[in-house]
Amino acid sequence: MPKSPQIRIDTTSTTPAYKQLADQLRVLAVEGVLKPGESLPPLRRLALELGVHFNTVAEAYRVLAQEGFLLITHGHGARITDRNPPRRPEPESLENFRQRLRELVASVRAHGLSTKQITSELNTAAEGLEKC
Amino acid sequence: MLMALTTLQVFANRLTSPTFLFAANLVIAQTALWDWQSSKSLTRARNMFFGMRVDPEFIASNIGVTIHKRFRQRIWLWSFAVIVGYCFFPWRPSYTPGDLMTAVLPPLLASAGNLLMFALANRETGKLATLSLEPPTRTASLFVEQEESNAWLTALDWFAILLPIVLPLATIAVIALHWNNFPRGYSAQHELIAAAQAALIGIFPAGIYLALRFGARSSDWAPTPQASRRYRTVLGLMLWSIFSIQVVQMCSLALLPLLGGLPFQYLLPFMRYSQRATLGLLLLLVVAQLYLRKKLARGSSDPMPDHYWKLGMFYHNAADPAAVVPVRSGIGFAVNSANRSVWFIGAIGIATILVCLSSVL
């Protein structure tokens, strides 16, 4: 059995736990680690493993369902869907992405990562995207 | 002179009575266990000191050593006082030295006292120690159930959960079906009550096992889900076996009259040896838990902040779905008192104790 993906919740972060969880699950879905049709763990089980209230996991699942990444059905839990990205991105999306990327790079620079390390990670992420 | 001699004779009789020796040995054994569990080699492995997450250097510091030494002195002094007090306890005329109640009281008092001493050490640590924060991140495998799945363990799980409940219920059904077939001298009603008591006792080990299997966070117990599952299974089985032996014994005794009935004198050795087996199992449980923890669960600890641990011993966290977590100081597990399923199991546990006491009194 290959090792399953790890989910990390930073308890010191100002980002709410449900958002951290939703962000990580979204990454896994976009990168193809979570394949369409695959079921996510029951929310009570995931809440137990992460040590958070089950409403936190429920909110993360709801966010992803609204974005089209998950299909939640009563009695069958949450499944990854074959989400079709929008044909044309919204005009603000690229600007938002650019801004978030700049903020992220500034944040990791402040934590001591070098330009070389950041560039290497961005290249790895880009290569992973191309494979999807 | 004669009165002094008589008094000495009375005390000599008490000191050599099986009840006194049993009670005194239990008090000494549990205090020795508290002493051993508080040892630095155990606490240093998890950076836990009397239930608090501390800077590793604190445990070996002068203050840490003093707190630990003071704790050890207190628990031994208290145990000595309990034993001496028990010796001078005015034996009621209606109770003989062989009475179970008087044998149970000293270990209970010693246990309560040791808990109090631990709480005092916890308060001192909180005031004087350099506390370290809980880990800033919590990590979990997304598909932990698949990682820890094992067909054999799953079969074992269902066996452990169902046996303590199904066996007494089956016994009750058999008694009901053969209500009029009980031989003379045996009462079907009495056996039915015994089987019902067994059913009540059986809920407790089944509930604890269920909590360890489905209500515990995998990452708290061992570095990998597989090791965590194995450790929790064996831990659950150990505790389960203590109570399940009693359940099987009670059901067997309830059904024995239907098998032609056995003179009670032949049953006494059976009961005596089963009690010794239970005590032996308890000791084995302590040793095996330590070995297993070292082998499978090195460094296991809950990731929650200290303030959810009251007096270092009692875990109360309404936001945590876990029903059981590893105990912070020592071996075993602690229940999350904010979890409602734990209330139910706890109520059953108290009812079990009351039922057992009522049958003795």
Side-chain angles (χ1 to χ4, degrees):
Chain A
M1 168 83 200
K3 206 170 175 220
S4 74
Q6 302 284 301
I7 300 290
R8 281 186 184 80
I9 301 291
D10 183 354
T11 54
T12 59
S13 171
T14 51
T15 309
Y18 83 88
K19 196 165 182 316
Q20 294 182 50
L21 178 58
D23 290 344
Q24 289 177 63
L25 289 174
R26 192 184 299 113
V27 164
L28 293 173
V30 166
E31 288 182 354
V33 176
L34 294 176
K35 308 231 179 328
E38 204 165 349
S39 291
L40 288 184
L43 58 92
R44 284 184 189 272
R45 182 70 206 207
L46 189 54
L48 171 66
E49 291 300 324
L50 289 170
V52 297
H53 200 274
F54 76 88
N55 277 338
T56 304
V57 179
E59 186 59 29
Y61 281 16
R62 263 195 291 271
V63 164
L64 291 173
Q66 279 173 2
E67 292 173 2
F69 284 101
L70 283 189
L71 179 66
I72 300 174
T73 47
H74 186 68
H76 292 95
R79 287 191 183 180
I80 301 290
T81 58
D82 194 2
R83 178 179 179 265
N84 291 321
R87 285 185 184 230
R88 280 183 200 167
E90 292 166 9
E92 309 83 52
S93 293
L94 185 59
E95 188 51 42
N96 286 343
F97 167 66
R98 202 174 279 139
Q99 182 62 27
R100 283 167 68 185
L101 193 59
R102 289 174 65 194
E103 286 168 4
L104 178 63
V105 168
S107 171
V108 295
R109 284 281 286 146
H111 279 91
L113 262 68
S114 67
T115 315
K116 198 174 172 185
Q117 283 171 314
I118 296 170
T119 313
S120 168
E121 290 299 324
L122 286 172
N123 285 337
T124 307
E127 281 165 21
L129 265 178
E130 280 171 9
K131 286 178 191 168
C132 292
Chain B
M1 183 71 180
L2 188 65
M3 221 165 118
L5 277 172
T6 313
T7 310
L8 271 173
Q9 184 69 39
V10 166
F11 285 125
N13 286 342
R14 287 182 187 178
L15 284 173
T16 53
S17 77
T19 309
F20 179 84
L21 289 172
F22 176 71
N25 284 335
L26 267 184
V27 168
I28 292 168
Q30 70 161 306
T31 303
L33 191 61
W34 276 94
D35 189 345
W36 185 40
Q37 287 187 6
S38 71
S39 69
K40 279 184 276 190
S41 60
L42 286 174
T43 52
R44 193 174 285 150
R46 293 199 266 172
N47 296 342
M48 293 289 181
F49 193 65
F50 292 107
M52 305 208 79
R53 204 178 261 111
V54 300
D55 198 25
E57 280 86 31
F58 175 79
I59 298 172
S61 70
N62 287 339
I63 304 173
V65 166
T66 305
I67 293 176
H68 182 234
K69 197 172 162 186
R70 212 177 290 159
F71 169 73
R72 295 179 69 205
Q73 284 169 349
R74 284 174 186 160
I75 56 173
W76 283 110
L77 273 173
W78 173 248
S79 299
F80 179 68
V82 166
I83 292 172
V84 168
Y86 182 51
C87 185
F88 286 92
F89 181 72
W91 299 88
R92 285 168 28 173
S94 58
Y95 285 114
T96 67
D99 191 84
L100 183 64
M101 268 300 290
T102 53
V104 161
L105 210 52
L108 284 177
L109 274 175
S111 192
N114 292 341
L115 282 172
L116 184 63
M117 303 313 170
F118 185 92
L120 285 173
N122 172 265
R123 292 301 270 294
E124 285 169 2
T125 305
K127 284 179 190 166
L128 301 170
T130 319
L131 303 178
S132 53
L133 294 173
E134 65 277 9
T137 55
R138 290 183 208 159
T139 307
S141 283
L142 187 59
F143 299 112
V144 67
E145 280 210 352
Q146 289 172 20
E147 278 197 54
E148 65 180 22
S149 72
N150 182 309
W152 287 107
L153 289 182
T154 303
L156 195 58
D157 289 341
W158 286 111
F159 172 78
I161 290 165
L162 292 175
L163 177 77
I165 297 169
V166 167
L167 184 63
L169 290 177
T171 305
I172 289 169
V174 169
I175 291 170
L177 284 170
H178 294 89
W179 191 262
N180 296 319
N181 298 343
F182 275 78
R184 210 176 227 189
Y186 293 95
S187 159
Q189 188 180 353
H190 177 78
E191 305 305 340
L192 186 72
I193 291 170
Q197 288 174 346
L200 196 59
I201 292 171
I203 293 173
F204 193 63
I208 291 293
Y209 193 92
L210 207 64
L212 277 168
R213 173 66 186 93
F214 297 108
R217 194 168 21 256
S218 180
S219 54
D220 282 356
W221 303 83
T224 64
Q226 298 89 348
S228 174
R229 172 99 188 255
R230 285 201 302 270
Y231 179 58
R232 282 180 288 134
T233 297
V234 180
L235 187 65
L237 281 176
M238 285 176 181
L239 291 166
W240 172 92
S241 58
I242 300 287
F243 291 94
S244 296
I245 279 182
Q246 306 305 319
V247 168
V248 169
Q249 179 185 299
M250 287 169 80
C251 292
S252 308
L253 288 174
L255 290 177
L256 273 176
L258 285 173
L259 300 174
L262 282 174
F264 192 66
Q265 64 191 37
Y266 295 113
L267 294 176
L268 271 178
F270 169 73
M271 288 167 66
R272 195 181 301 130
Y273 289 124
S274 74
Q275 285 166 4
R276 286 177 190 178
T278 306
L279 278 174
L281 206 56
L282 269 170
L283 283 171
L284 189 67
L285 186 149
V286 170
V287 172
Q289 273 198 48
L290 279 170
Y291 170 75
L292 278 171
R293 198 178 68 177
K294 199 175 166 185
K295 193 92 176 145
L296 293 172
R298 192 184 294 273
S300 67
S301 176
D302 71 283
M304 297 300 173
D306 284 346
H307 64 84
Y308 289 120
W309 285 87
K310 314 300 178 191
L311 302 175
M313 292 176 286
F314 307 111
Y315 183 65
H316 185 91
N317 185 350
D320 187 359
V324 291
V325 293
V327 69
R328 276 198 164 188
S329 293
I331 50 177
F333 61 89
V335 295
N336 182 1
S337 54
N339 191 300
R340 285 184 192 170
S341 57
V342 164
W343 294 356
F344 174 69
I345 298 172
I348 295 292
I350 291 169
T352 305
I353 292 168
L354 290 173
V355 159
C356 292
L357 285 176
S358 68
S359 63
V360 166
L361 288 172

